[in-house]
Amino acid sequence: IMVCQELDVPAKAIKDGVESFVGVPGRLELVRIARGVKYYNDTTATTPDGNKAALEALADKKKKNIVLIAGGADKNLDYSGMARLVHKTVKGLVLIEGAATEKLLSLIPKKTSYPVFIVDSIKESVERAQEIAHKGDTVLLSPGAASFGVFKNEFDRGDQFVKLVKNI
């Protein structure tokens, strides 16, 4: 907005532009609402900080409403903050196999009030998430990790997720 103002873009054009912006694929992208469950693709959240931003943006302050699909390859990052936030905000956790998944699991309390699944494909992650999510919940693909080994890249991971969700 400030750049537009510096370039003397009319205020109405700025307002219209901001109001019509729907986001970009892979960044907190609302894919669809199916059976009252919102499905978000945040595949470009390949770090714990990216995951944190998504969880904070979508968390319901009154109840745990997020089924999180996360995990994957480790980029030698600290997952302690992510683990604490996950434990406070999710009603279900589906982790895609990988070194980051192992790190995250080691930081989450062994006894949780929510189910935890470890899967080896995006298809299985969506299936497990569907088992947990109910009307009013959010299924969030926000890995907090890289996609190496299982997917071509993070966009392949997100594209597979979107395709599966659109077929629900």
Side-chain angles (χ1 to χ4, degrees):
I1 291 172
M2 292 175 68
V3 169
C4 289
Q5 290 171 335
E6 281 294 315
L7 296 171
D8 295 322
V9 174
K12 181 172 180 356
I14 296 171
K15 181 178 183 291
D16 291 347
V18 169
E19 289 175 349
S20 66
F21 181 70
V22 294
V24 295
R27 293 194 186 269
L28 278 182
E29 169 192 10
L30 177 60
V31 177
R32 74 179 289 207
I33 301 171
R35 299 182 198 115
V37 176
K38 294 179 182 177
Y39 289 82
Y40 283 89
N41 172 18
D42 193 41
T43 192
T44 56
T46 61
T47 66
D49 286 341
N51 172 274
K52 177 183 177 196
L55 287 174
E56 288 175 342
L58 299 177
D60 184 322
K61 305 298 181 226
K62 297 176 186 161
K63 66 178 180 102
K64 292 182 176 184
N65 68 320
I66 295 174
V67 178
L68 177 65
I69 300 171
D74 184 16
K75 298 192 289 188
N76 294 317
L77 301 172
D78 178 5
Y79 286 86
S80 57
M82 180 176 164
R84 282 190 300 275
L85 188 58
V86 163
H87 192 64
K88 289 179 188 173
T89 59
V90 305
K91 72 173 284 182
L93 181 59
V94 182
L95 295 169
I96 300 168
E97 288 183 339
T101 295
E102 295 305 319
K103 260 185 166 175
L104 195 54
L105 279 174
S106 72
L107 296 165
I108 293 173
K110 300 299 176 221
K111 290 188 178 186
T112 64
S113 60
Y114 50 88
V116 177
F117 294 100
I118 301 172
V119 300
D120 62 5
S121 72
I122 198 72
K123 182 178 188 295
E124 189 179 1
S125 71
V126 171
E127 290 169 353
R128 293 289 176 248
Q130 282 183 277
E131 292 172 11
I132 303 165
H134 300 292
K135 186 176 182 178
D137 290 337
T138 296
V139 172
L140 170 63
L141 169 64
S142 186
S147 60
F148 313 131
V150 179
F151 307 96
K152 293 177 197 168
N153 53 45
E154 72 266 24
F155 303 108
D156 176 44
R157 174 178 55 203
D159 292 345
Q160 288 184 39
F161 176 79
V162 168
K163 184 177 178 183
L164 288 163
V165 168
K166 287 187 175 180
N167 287 321
I168 292 175

